[in-house]
Amino acid sequence: MRQQIAAANWKMNLTFDQAENLLDEILKVPHDLQAHQKVVFAIPFPYLQFAQNKISEIRNFFTAAQNCYTQSRGAYTGETSAEMLQSIGVGYVVLGHSERREYFGESNAMLEEKVAMALTYSLTPIFCCGEPLQIRESGAQNGYVEKQLKESLFNLHEEQIQKVVIAYEPIWAIGTGKTATAAQAQEMHAHLRKVLAGKYGDIIAGEIPILYGGSVKGNNAKEIFSQPDVDGGLVGGASLIAADFTQIIDALK
Ligand code: PEP
């Protein structure tokens, strides 16, 4: 059965105390998830080990990094490797978030290297893709996102692509309060699944989780997640509010 994931992207927010309180608030609620339903917290690097210790015993809960480097180790001051993340038990890494593409110049080619590195160290990449507003307005979004997938993922072997999670995040919907409609999300997810099927076949494409990201909130998650090709969400702002993110986790059910 295809996995469903509620992923929190805390970005560069929260002090240590605030992070601890938020995690405690969310973890104290019994979530009672099925085996294929997962919750992932993409946590700032300084708190990752702490969060990992806190949730490693909780079934279906995992930590993620928000980035990793293209190399395993060496003289790359300020960078963090997939090998380091693996060594503290982190399970996932968000790669290619539009903020990293825009502010840190991450290209499809660089992301191809990062995805490969994550897989080498048994991290599940949450590979982000999505179009800016002007591309959406010109109607060219399908081709734009398809290109991101092809250039970063399509050199993976069959057994590798099955370990990737995709997050479709239209840039115009991130942090803007402007959500894609459930129908717009479904349309793009179905398109991406078709593109994946064209390369890897229907069975593999049918098993790859595709999350939606872009102003998911407690009160709209259920409708978006109910779409047949939407397998959960990658959530920024609302993941910083315990009650909201709890509602989003519950929307997986
Ligand atoms: C994100 O940063 O991945 C995101 C989707 O943010 P928000 O939920 O705030 O739009």
Side-chain angles (χ1 to χ4, degrees), residues 9 11 97 99 128 169 173-177 212-217 234-239:
N9 177 15
K11 312 192 188 193
H97 192 282
E99 289 150 16
C128 303
E169 301 204 302
I174 297 178
T176 57
Y212 168 79
S215 298
V216 174
K217 308 283 178 214
L234 178 58
V235 184
S239 75

Side-chain angles (χ1 to χ4, degrees), residues 20-78:
E20 183 176 18
N21 286 338
L22 178 58
L23 264 188
D24 285 343
E25 283 291 301
I26 294 166
L27 297 179
K28 78 177 184 205
V29 181
H31 289 289
D32 194 26
L33 298 170
Q34 296 177 44
H36 69 287
Q37 296 170 330
K38 303 203 159 117
V39 179
V40 176
F41 293 93
I43 304 235
F45 285 122
Y47 318 147
L48 257 177
Q49 173 80 78
F50 171 81
Q52 176 58 24
N53 291 347
K54 223 175 180 37
I55 71 172
S56 62
E57 300 301 318
I58 305 177
R59 200 172 55 93
N60 299 3
F61 278 62
F62 301 89
T63 55
Q66 297 175 13
N67 182 29
C68 71
Y69 194 47
T70 55
Q71 307 297 318
S72 310
R73 65 186 78 88
Y76 303 103
T77 302

Side-chain angles (χ1 to χ4, degrees), residues 142-221:
N142 284 5
Y144 185 94
V145 180
E146 188 176 326
K147 186 167 184 283
Q148 292 178 318
L149 244 60
K150 286 186 170 164
E151 292 187 0
S152 296
L153 301 182
F154 275 22
N155 282 326
L156 295 175
H157 305 303
E158 287 187 359
E159 63 283 4
Q160 292 176 307
I161 192 78
Q162 295 177 71
K163 295 176 182 144
V164 173
V165 172
I166 292 170
Y168 167 59
E169 301 204 302
I171 298 170
W172 46 273
I174 297 178
T176 57
K178 195 173 167 188
T179 321
T181 62
Q184 282 173 321
Q186 168 57 25
E187 191 187 358
M188 178 61 85
H189 286 221
H191 174 67
L192 296 181
R193 211 176 291 290
K194 202 172 87 195
V195 170
L196 288 163
K199 168 78 178 169
Y200 295 102
D202 287 338
I203 295 176
I204 289 177
E207 284 302 316
I208 297 175
I210 308 180
L211 316 184
Y212 168 79
S215 298
V216 174
K217 308 283 178 214
N219 61 11
N220 62 18

